[in-house]
Amino acid sequence: HVKRSGRNGWLRYEQRLSAAENERRELERELRGALAADQLSLHYQGQFCLNSGALIGFEALLRWQHPQLGAVSPDRFIPLAEESLLILEIGRWVLEEACRQAVKWDFSGRGISTSVNVSAVQFEQPNFVEVVRRALQDTGLPGGCLMLELTESMVLRDEALTQRHMGELRELGVQVAVDDFGTGYSSLSMLHNLPFTRLKVDRSFVRVLGAHTARTDRAYLLMQVLVKLAHSLEMTVMAEGVETPEQRALLLEMGCDAAQGYGLARPLPAELAARLLDAASG
Ligand code: C2E
Ligand code: MG
Ligand code: MG
Ligand code: MG
């Protein structure tokens, strides 16, 4: 009896698995048409200097408006796009769209930059730098107005290639940031040889800072160490996920350079981000 019910349980489990798998495949199939169907767009989240409050740039964040499901989270569809290599096509579009918008908004004249997230799969393509170069050329955006965000887990896979691409990007004037710093297991070793210009500290380090945080609390000391680490290696440091005025004040006190988060500005569709930009220029 036990055997039989166990077997049925297993079958049900298999059926559930394949249902999830079918759903995943269906979503992937739909994602394939999403770009052509105009369902993908970019939202822009402001990035600010902590000291002056000045707007220093925007991060472009991909959005998928599915006709039936509504907004699908990037945490759900980016992995699908990566597995299917669709990310190459989508990533190229993101890069071009973000550059085009930055030119339209005169980022060069304003001295601010656009940040674009890049997947490992994209970065590892032999022609990756060529794709970036073409996006800059086609849109006319100076390389200095573009910052790429790489997550630490990806960059380490092939260090020689990473080195080469980073060097070539630097020649274009394109800057590179480490995204979600502190969440991967080899956080520190990747800073050895790679010329990142910005360290984006993961929001898990910011979330624990609150109204009652003392200067001697571990949360405070840990964030402070990350700020010092970045500065020792001549990187600027940006805190992610800043939601409260207390967090802002503590980060400023620690010497953190910049911040991004719901407490400063939410990710906004282009029309609304344009208003933020207008407000920032007085
Ligand atoms: P990320 O690059 O670390 O982006 C920051 C994420 O945190 C965004 O989520 C943003 O909406 C969210 N966020 C910003 N401020 C706050 C805050 O104060 N509190 C909280 N709780 N969250 C905040 P989003 O837009 O859902 O994107 C998730 C991730 O998807 C991104 O993380 C990035 O890794 C990836 N992603 C987004 N767009 C692209 C893209 O165009 N290409 C690639 N390869 N990945 C992308
Ligand atoms: Mg990012
Ligand atoms: Mg991040
Ligand atoms: Mg993230």
Side-chain angles (χ1 to χ4, degrees):
H1 295 306
V2 173
K3 228 181 201 167
R4 212 164 125 205
S5 78
R7 185 166 167 78
N8 286 342
W10 176 245
L11 277 176
R12 276 198 300 277
Y13 177 67
E14 274 189 324
Q15 276 158 3
R16 271 206 312 279
L17 257 193
S18 72
E21 174 62 17
N22 284 340
E23 197 181 300
R24 206 187 58 82
R25 282 207 203 118
E26 174 65 10
L27 204 60
E28 186 188 306
R29 200 185 55 75
E30 290 171 331
L31 183 56
R32 210 167 282 278
L35 196 53
D38 226 18
Q39 293 164 6
L40 298 184
S41 68
L42 294 181
H43 279 196
Y44 296 90
Q45 186 176 31
Q47 302 175 317
F48 300 86
C49 169
L50 268 169
N51 201 31
S52 68
L55 180 77
I56 58 172
F58 281 101
E59 177 174 5
L61 294 161
L62 191 57
R63 296 290 177 263
W64 180 15
Q65 188 64 31
H66 186 284
Q68 283 86 40
L69 302 174
V72 183
S73 163
D75 289 325
R76 183 147 175 235
F77 73 80
I78 296 281
L80 291 181
E82 288 173 344
E83 283 166 38
S84 60
L85 291 188
L86 256 179
I87 193 68
L88 298 181
E89 193 187 330
I90 293 175
R92 201 176 316 130
W93 178 81
V94 169
L95 206 53
E96 277 164 15
E97 179 66 16
C99 291
R100 201 157 36 231
Q101 192 60 263
V103 168
K104 201 166 149 196
W105 284 339
D106 189 27
F107 278 19
S108 177
R110 296 173 194 262
I112 66 177
S113 68
T114 190
S115 289
V116 173
N117 293 287
V118 168
S119 289
V121 197
Q122 289 172 272
F123 193 83
E124 284 171 350
Q125 295 300 306
N127 72 341
F128 174 69
V129 178
E130 203 41 51
V131 169
V132 174
R133 193 195 320 270
R134 200 161 325 132
L136 293 173
Q137 251 165 26
D138 290 353
T139 59
L141 186 73
C145 292
L146 177 63
M147 171 119 36
L148 302 176
E149 297 194 357
L150 311 184
T151 45
E152 56 183 359
S153 53
M154 58 156 285
V155 189
L156 279 174
R157 282 202 230 165
D158 181 345
E159 209 182 320
L161 181 80
T162 305
Q163 287 275 13
R164 185 155 49 78
H165 281 180
M166 294 272 285
E168 290 169 3
L169 289 168
R170 188 165 248 205
E171 281 166 28
L172 294 176
V174 173
Q175 300 187 302
V176 185
V178 192
D179 206 354
D180 305 336
F181 186 79
T183 53
Y185 63 92
S186 44
S187 312
L188 289 169
S189 64
M190 77 174 305
L191 299 179
H192 256 127
N193 313 305
L194 300 172
F196 294 105
T197 50
R198 173 185 286 168
L199 194 75
K200 291 188 78 175
V201 178
D202 189 71
R203 69 166 174 269
S204 54
F205 295 94
V206 175
R207 196 168 41 218
V208 290
L209 300 174
H212 303 290
T213 301
R215 314 287 174 268
T216 49
D217 287 355
R218 299 177 78 89
Y220 187 94
L221 297 169
L222 193 51
M223 185 66 208
Q224 192 176 42
V225 161
L226 293 174
V227 170
K228 285 182 183 161
L229 170 73
H231 288 165
S232 311
L233 299 176
E234 291 174 327
M235 290 180 279
T236 61
V237 53
M238 176 178 281
E240 296 190 304
V242 178
E243 296 186 353
T244 70
E246 289 82 14
Q247 290 170 341
R248 228 155 93 188
L250 290 170
L251 289 162
L252 177 63
E253 182 186 285
M254 289 174 198
C256 182
D257 304 293
Q260 186 180 341
Y262 295 166
L264 296 141
R266 294 221 161 222
L268 302 165
E271 316 83 68
L272 295 179
R275 285 198 218 159
L276 184 66
L277 192 60
D278 285 342
S281 1

